[in-house]
Amino acid sequence: MSVLKPLLIDQLPDTWDLPIGPRFRRKQLSDWVFKKRANSFEAMTNLPEQWRKCLCEKYRIKSIELLRKQGSKDTTRKYLWKLAEGDYVESVLIPASPALYGDKADRFTLCVSSQVGCAYGCKFCASGLEGWKRNLSAGEIVSQIMETEKESAERISNLVFMGMGEPMANFENLMLAIDMINSDWGLNIGARKITISTSGLVPKIRALADQERQIRLAISLHGASDNVRDSIMPINRKYPISKLLEACSYFCSKKKQMITFEYILIKGINDHFDQAALLAKKLKGIRSKINLIPYNKVAGLPWERPEKSHSQEFAHILARGGIKATLRLEKGHDIDAACGQLRLKEIS
Ligand code: SAH
Ligand code: SF4
């Protein structure tokens, strides 16, 4: 049955009334969609005409349209997509070279969006500025990858759900999309190459731990005490740090995996050294590493990043506390494609 899943590209479950065919027909269909990348159902010449007709009537192969492509000096590329309903989202392609100055990139990470806007309203983030509009369908999520591959002529090797939106708040479509992305009949991107980032939806972290795939998890932490986290991330009032870290421990032990904690450093807000010391204490015993990200300026928001030396000292305190921390090299800053810079407003 699973080979029918490619048809999840933008359908409603109750429209699954394709002619019932043998398994090999479904395999032919998924090959056309994911392997041969057919542009139309008419092109699927080895399928019976009845199938093609039925597919044309009920499904779309492609659910997004490229509107604009921007390249950054550091080779990061940002794609703006128009969705069928007239909404817009972005994806960011981040090539990585084997060596710092290597010539050809061998890894292509795509940062994908999961929602139009975001309901969680973190105070520092561009994506949440205008609120939430709607969830992306599984097809719209998968199409970002397939269309980026077409546009860039590169094969996406890694995926991060760190674009616009809170992926865990669109859990059902996210899981349908991951089925298409991870399965061998689909895009065949390994589960360990897929990272979901969340601001901390505790029940969904547990649900992700309970499903079978070895997807990676990143947590947007950004504060070590509830006081600090409450002040910048409203979700913390619902799921405070203690509950969040309990769910993280559950994930680690269930999946035998390490978690990545993202910590943006915002000057004067969450970059006090006592937060670093507290963080080291609280993360003891959770298999994890911390990515420290100097805050990216967002137009209209007052926040700033700390001095480099301050960020480095923050990292040192964590290291002295026994926590692996890296100060992240930010990419795509000049085209507003860096973390938290994706927003609806600049599109219109
Ligand atoms: N909603 C999910 C996925 C979006 S990921 C989440 O919050 O995890 C976007 C990442 O960029 C998150 O880690 C977010 O906290 C971070 N971010 C948001 N605004 C930022 C900014 N201005 N500078 C740097 N990082 C930012
Ligand atoms: Fe939404 Fe994540 Fe931005 Fe918070 S950081 S507003 S959860 S996209």
Side-chain angles (χ1 to χ4, degrees):
M1 208 49 195
S2 67
V3 189
L4 247 190
K5 291 272 175 64
L7 301 177
L8 285 167
I9 296 204
D10 288 332
Q11 96 305 29
L12 295 167
D14 58 5
T15 62
W16 281 41
D17 51 357
L18 271 177
I20 301 301
R23 277 189 76 85
F24 82 93
R25 288 281 179 226
R26 293 168 186 181
K27 173 78 168 63
Q28 283 174 326
L29 180 56
S30 58
D31 280 353
W32 278 115
V33 174
F34 293 108
K35 313 292 178 204
K36 298 185 222 167
R37 307 287 168 99
N39 287 320
S40 70
F41 292 118
E42 287 87 358
M44 303 179 180
T45 43
N46 59 357
L47 288 180
E49 206 186 317
Q50 191 198 0
W51 271 62
R52 280 184 268 158
K53 190 164 163 285
C54 187
L55 287 163
C56 284
E57 280 167 10
K58 295 191 164 65
Y59 303 99
R60 271 172 294 160
I61 280 198
K62 182 175 155 184
S63 48
I64 63 174
E65 210 62 65
L66 181 70
L67 214 64
R68 192 177 68 203
K69 183 158 104 178
Q70 276 174 286
S72 154
K73 283 185 236 127
D74 64 20
T75 73
T76 299
R77 277 165 266 174
K78 183 162 82 164
Y79 299 88
L80 172 65
W81 312 107
K82 186 171 189 287
L83 312 180
E85 289 77 14
D87 294 315
Y88 302 89
V89 289
E90 290 174 307
S91 322
V92 180
L93 179 64
I94 310 148
S97 308
L100 197 55
Y101 296 107
D103 17 33
K104 180 93 179 82
D106 68 341
R107 194 165 45 129
F108 290 86
T109 301
L110 190 69
C111 175
V112 290
S113 295
S114 55
Q115 298 183 309
V116 182
C118 181
Y120 288 85
C122 303
K123 298 263 170 48
F124 46 80
C125 175
S127 297
L129 275 183
E130 283 113 56
W132 176 83
K133 194 149 176 226
R134 70 170 175 89
N135 285 334
L136 294 195
S137 67
E140 287 166 334
I141 294 173
V142 176
S143 287
Q144 292 175 63
I145 308 164
M146 294 174 74
E147 292 303 303
T148 302
E149 289 191 338
K150 194 151 71 180
E151 288 300 325
S152 64
E154 304 290 0
R155 172 103 169 83
I156 306 296
S157 55
N158 296 61
L159 208 62
V160 292
F161 283 89
M162 295 188 183
M164 190 185 280
E166 168 52 56
M168 293 294 217
N170 186 14
F171 196 74
E172 203 178 311
N173 292 345
L174 177 72
M175 288 301 130
L176 291 175
I178 285 178
D179 199 21
M180 290 188 251
I181 293 164
N182 177 230
S183 297
D184 52 4
W185 52 260
L187 296 179
N188 207 8
I189 298 178
R192 287 188 166 80
K193 303 272 167 74
I194 304 172
T195 303
I196 297 175
S197 177
T198 178
S199 57
L201 276 71
V202 163
K204 298 293 187 261
I205 294 172
R206 290 179 180 273
L208 190 70
D210 290 338
Q211 58 78 55
E212 73 210 21
R213 290 188 165 88
Q214 286 292 344
I215 316 284
R216 294 195 180 275
L217 179 64
I219 305 286
S220 295
L221 196 58
H222 314 326
S225 66
D226 283 322
N227 268 350
V228 168
R229 202 166 187 264
D230 276 349
S231 73
I232 51 177
M233 298 182 74
I235 192 172
N236 197 63
R237 279 180 224 127
K238 186 154 185 201
Y239 302 117
I241 294 173
S242 57
K243 293 275 172 274
L244 176 58
L245 295 184
E246 267 170 39
C248 290
S249 297
Y250 178 74
F251 182 91
C252 288
S253 62
K254 194 85 199 278
K255 289 295 183 201
K256 315 248 176 311
Q257 258 195 51
M258 173 189 249
I259 289 189
T260 302
F261 289 100
E262 313 274 359
Y263 198 105
I264 323 172
L265 291 164
I266 313 175
K267 192 176 188 170
I269 302 290
N270 66 355
D271 66 340
H272 305 300
F273 294 142
D274 61 352
Q275 288 291 299
L278 189 60
L279 198 55
K281 209 164 117 192
K282 289 195 175 174
L283 296 190
K284 270 241 160 79
I286 301 181
R287 273 184 64 209
S288 60
K289 61 170 180 166
I290 301 186
N291 276 337
L292 296 172
I293 311 155
Y295 180 68
N296 292 313
K297 196 109 186 80
V298 172
L301 296 180
W303 322 99
E304 307 244 344
R305 56 173 59 175
E307 307 301 321
K308 197 167 168 199
S309 58
H310 186 97
S311 301
Q312 283 165 336
E313 181 53 24
F314 198 95
H316 287 148
I317 297 172
L318 287 168
R320 284 200 292 275
I323 304 291
K324 233 193 261 170
T326 43
L327 198 52
R328 200 151 90 178
L329 233 165
E330 208 54 61
K331 294 202 164 186
H333 208 258
D334 56 335
I335 53 168
D336 278 356
C339 295
Q341 289 184 313
L342 303 184
R343 68 195 297 177
L344 292 173
K345 207 169 118 208
E346 63 176 310
I347 294 159
S348 43

